[in-house]
């Protein structure tokens, strides 16, 4: 097989930032995807409908002129999110979900939620209007080993949320562990998950292969090989609970190659090629279309796309960096070869 044609996919978890970074990265996503769920962790966070609509306009203005790409906006849950805002979000055709960051879990999460139980009334309102909750599933306890933070979150918080709000649609974002995969499989069809390309392609050894590799540092952090195997199995299983969400998270090269480097991998430049690489290794390219183009749309209750895109089997070398004004962003797999090319 040297060509792969798919219904045009969507990215169900994406960071595009704002300003100059946004203007530099958005064309990469708009080229490959029809729609993307836009993460709200800006500074300050996008926490009300009004801000999200302004941010949406900024994204649309940054698109190449001929692009028909559609940003799907989300709101950042804080301790002060009101039920009234939930109602407003449900009335807006542009708001598609709320994002829960446990405070301190990751980039720009300081305004996140300290005590998840305290926002239960807001979750109840979300359940009533049927707007999905997207979860960064890690505990923030510094005493908890960083490699256990997702597993402990599943046991201590996620299972309670699911139990208390059985009709709330939940996306457990960027799964990294077997425990989280098993939890999603054993939950009702209201619970789904996204999986990133880096968690399918790498295990935690890659972060420290011959030296420290800051461009493979993301959160939740890469895990052991058996967790990666479990993610591969889930993504290629054809189970509609698992769908594509790149978590492409651009940071300037200097912010990553730093004594305290930022978390996030930039994958939007070749998102589908990276997933194709992972699916091909598993001999499961026939499962890519459901994962990339159908299951997310179905879960979000949006129409499936109808146009197609094509990948060609054609080796090419990933650039060392992409220019952002006078600075650069270093992509995932910089300088390495990929075997598929979006045409
Ligand atoms: O690695 C990550 N980067 N994980 C996140 O949860 C946030 C993201 C970012 O915004 O940079
Ligand atoms: Zn993210």
């Amino acid at each position: 097989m040297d060509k792969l044609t798919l219904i045009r996919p969507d990215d169900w978890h994406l960071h595009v930032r704002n300003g100059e970074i946004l203007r530099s990265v958005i064309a990469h996503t708009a080229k490959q995807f029809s729609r993307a769920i836009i993460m709200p962790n800006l500074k300050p966070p996008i926490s009300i409908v009004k801000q999200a609509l302004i941010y949406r306009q900024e994204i649309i203005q940054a698109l190449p002129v001929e692009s028909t790409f559609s940003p799907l906006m989300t709101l950042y849950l804080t301790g002060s999110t009101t039920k009234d805002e939930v109602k407003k979000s449900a009335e807006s055709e542009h708001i598609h979900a709320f994002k829960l960051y446990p405070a301190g879990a990751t980039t720009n999460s300081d305004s996140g939620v300290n005590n998840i139980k305290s926002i239960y009334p807001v979750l109840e309102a979300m359940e009533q209007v049927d707007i999905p909750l997207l979860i960064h599933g890690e505990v923030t306890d510094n005493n908890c080993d960083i490699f256990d933070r997702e597993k402990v979150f599943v046991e201590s918080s996620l299972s309670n949320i699911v139990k208390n709000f059985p009709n709330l649609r939940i996306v457990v974002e960027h799964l990294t562990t077997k425990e989280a995969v098993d939890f999603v499989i054993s939950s009702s069809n209201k619970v789904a998950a996204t999986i990133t390309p880096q968690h399918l392609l790498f295990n935690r050894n890659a972060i420290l292969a011959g030296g420290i590799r800051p461009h493979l540092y993301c959160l939740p952090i890469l895990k052991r090989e058996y967790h990666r195997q479990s993610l591969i199995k889930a993504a290629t299983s054809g189970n509609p609970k698992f769908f594509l969400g790149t978590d492409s998270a651009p940071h300037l090269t200097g912010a990553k190659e730093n004594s305290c480097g930022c978390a996030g991998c930039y994958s939007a430049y070749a998102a589908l090629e990276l997933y194709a690489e992972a699916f091909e290794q598993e001999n499961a390219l026939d499962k890519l279309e459901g994962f990339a183009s159908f299951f997310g749309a179905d879960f979000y209750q949006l129409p499936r796309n109808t146009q197609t895109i094509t990948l060609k089997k054609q080796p090419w070398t990933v650039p060392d960096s992409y220019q952002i004004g006078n600075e650069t962003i270093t992509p995932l797999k910089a300088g390495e070869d990929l075997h598929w090319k979006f045409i």
Side-chain angles (χ1 to χ4, degrees):
M1 190 152 67
D2 65 355
K3 262 196 184 164
L4 190 59
T5 296
L6 310 176
I7 290 289
R8 196 172 182 79
D10 304 299
D11 185 347
W12 300 101
H13 184 129
L14 178 69
H15 300 265
V16 290
R17 318 302 185 198
N18 53 5
E20 191 157 37
I21 293 189
L22 166 65
R23 290 192 293 276
S24 305
V25 300
I26 193 68
H28 282 158
T29 291
K31 183 177 169 197
Q32 302 206 337
F33 296 99
S34 177
R35 301 166 286 199
I37 283 280
I38 306 295
M39 287 298 130
N41 63 333
L42 299 191
K43 256 184 180 167
I46 305 295
S47 58
I48 58 171
V49 175
K50 231 172 151 175
Q51 285 172 309
L53 297 181
I54 294 169
Y55 184 31
R56 180 174 174 272
Q57 280 311 320
E58 188 187 352
I59 297 169
I60 288 172
Q61 269 154 28
L63 286 169
V65 269
E66 73 285 5
S67 177
T68 56
F69 173 80
S70 180
L72 309 176
M73 309 311 292
T74 63
L75 297 183
Y76 188 116
L77 273 172
T78 72
S80 344
T81 302
T82 62
K83 291 189 193 178
D84 191 48
E85 205 58 35
V86 173
K87 225 165 55 231
K88 278 191 196 145
S89 71
E91 284 157 10
S92 167
E93 60 179 316
H94 298 304
I95 313 297
H96 293 270
F98 278 83
K99 176 74 187 274
L100 167 58
Y101 289 103
T106 186
T107 310
N108 297 348
S109 64
D110 335 342
S111 315
V113 175
N114 280 306
N115 173 3
I116 295 180
K117 290 230 160 95
S118 73
I119 62 155
Y120 271 18
V122 173
L123 300 188
E124 191 181 353
M126 290 174 52
E127 184 181 40
Q128 274 162 12
V129 300
D130 194 22
I131 188 164
L133 170 68
L134 318 182
I135 302 183
H136 182 110
E138 287 191 288
V139 294
T140 52
D141 178 358
N142 276 329
N143 294 318
C144 180
D145 190 282
I146 186 165
F147 293 99
D148 294 335
R149 286 180 192 173
E150 181 175 281
K151 179 181 111 173
V152 174
F153 184 88
V154 169
E155 288 159 5
S156 64
S157 292
L158 183 58
S159 54
N160 280 327
I161 297 174
V162 169
K163 231 179 268 154
N164 280 283
F165 305 100
N167 291 313
L168 179 59
R169 278 183 291 151
I170 294 174
V171 183
V172 192
E173 300 289 344
H174 40 54
L175 293 195
T176 65
T177 58
K178 180 172 187 312
E179 289 83 357
V181 167
D182 291 346
F183 180 84
V184 170
I185 290 173
S186 68
S187 298
S188 80
N189 62 4
K190 300 280 178 186
V191 179
T194 54
I195 304 180
T196 77
Q198 65 267 24
H199 292 104
L200 291 175
L201 288 168
F202 301 101
N203 67 36
R204 67 187 197 175
N205 287 341
I207 311 171
L208 296 167
I212 192 158
R213 308 274 180 177
H215 301 293
L216 284 172
Y217 171 58
C218 66
L219 289 171
I221 198 161
L222 298 174
K223 304 295 193 300
R224 284 178 183 275
E225 176 61 12
Y226 79 88
H227 292 297
R228 188 186 75 86
Q229 290 292 341
S230 161
L231 296 168
I232 288 274
K233 207 168 142 207
T236 61
S237 66
N239 184 336
K241 284 170 164 288
F242 300 102
F243 44 83
L244 184 156
T246 61
D247 198 17
S248 177
H251 290 280
L252 295 176
T253 300
K256 290 200 55 81
E257 296 175 6
N258 191 292
S259 59
C260 185
C262 293
C265 298
Y266 184 62
S267 59
Y269 74 98
L272 279 172
E273 291 94 325
L274 291 160
Y275 281 109
E277 198 96 2
F279 276 61
E280 187 173 43
Q281 282 169 17
E282 191 64 12
N283 243 325
L285 280 172
D286 60 320
K287 293 293 201 295
L288 184 58
E289 188 177 45
F291 177 80
S293 313
F294 297 153
F295 304 154
D298 296 349
F299 187 83
Y300 275 89
Q301 300 173 354
L302 291 168
R304 291 182 178 184
N305 297 318
T306 51
Q307 292 169 325
T308 58
I309 57 101
T310 300
L311 296 174
K312 197 174 158 202
K313 191 98 194 229
Q314 180 187 313
W316 60 289
T317 305
V318 177
D320 290 335
S321 63
Y322 288 97
Q323 203 66 35
I324 310 287
N326 293 327
E327 316 232 30
T328 64
I329 287 178
T330 303
L332 184 68
K333 273 185 165 286
E336 292 180 47
D337 286 350
L338 290 177
H339 301 96
W340 289 90
K341 184 131 188 59
F342 189 98
I343 53 171

